[in-house]
Amino acid sequence: MILFILLPRTLFTMTTSKKLSMRAKLPKRGVISGTKDYVKISNYPRATEAHITYTASAHEEKYETLSAGKSSEALKYEVHDMER
């Protein structure tokens, strides 16, 4: 928005802007979807399991859970990965 203020023999222009900032702690979830299935990953930066849902047809769904590692050893895994 631009405001013009007219005073005798001068013209002042004032520019105003509105800003909104928001900070919230949102869940860290990732979803990978395909044509016949999708994968949900909770706490994706340090996930230890993923849930796969197979939806080959509209009438049936199959579920599978993949697990790997322990969240208590996450820092150890990161150090090991950086050393490679």
Side-chain angles (χ1 to χ4, degrees):
M1 177 189 310
I2 298 175
L3 299 174
F4 293 101
I5 301 174
L6 295 172
L7 296 175
R9 298 184 193 172
T10 57
L11 173 68
F12 292 100
T13 305
M14 293 177 13
T15 305
T16 62
S17 64
K18 297 176 184 173
K19 296 180 182 179
L20 175 66
S21 63
M22 183 180 119
R23 186 171 179 174
K25 183 144 176 118
L26 299 173
K28 298 174 182 174
R29 293 186 189 146
V31 177
I32 303 168
S33 69
T35 56
K36 296 184 180 184
D37 57 4
Y38 61 92
V39 180
K40 292 191 289 186
I41 305 167
S42 297
N43 193 20
Y44 66 87
R46 290 191 172 173
T48 57
E49 62 182 27
H51 303 281
I52 304 172
T53 304
Y54 299 101
T55 57
S57 70
H59 302 291
E60 65 178 80
E61 290 185 350
K62 295 179 184 175
Y63 303 99
E64 183 179 350
T65 301
L66 298 176
S67 297
K70 297 178 184 176
S71 60
S72 61
E73 296 183 6
L75 185 60
K76 178 181 163 185
Y77 299 143
E78 289 181 18
V79 170
H80 178 68
D81 192 39
M82 292 179 127
E83 288 176 344
R84 285 198 265 164

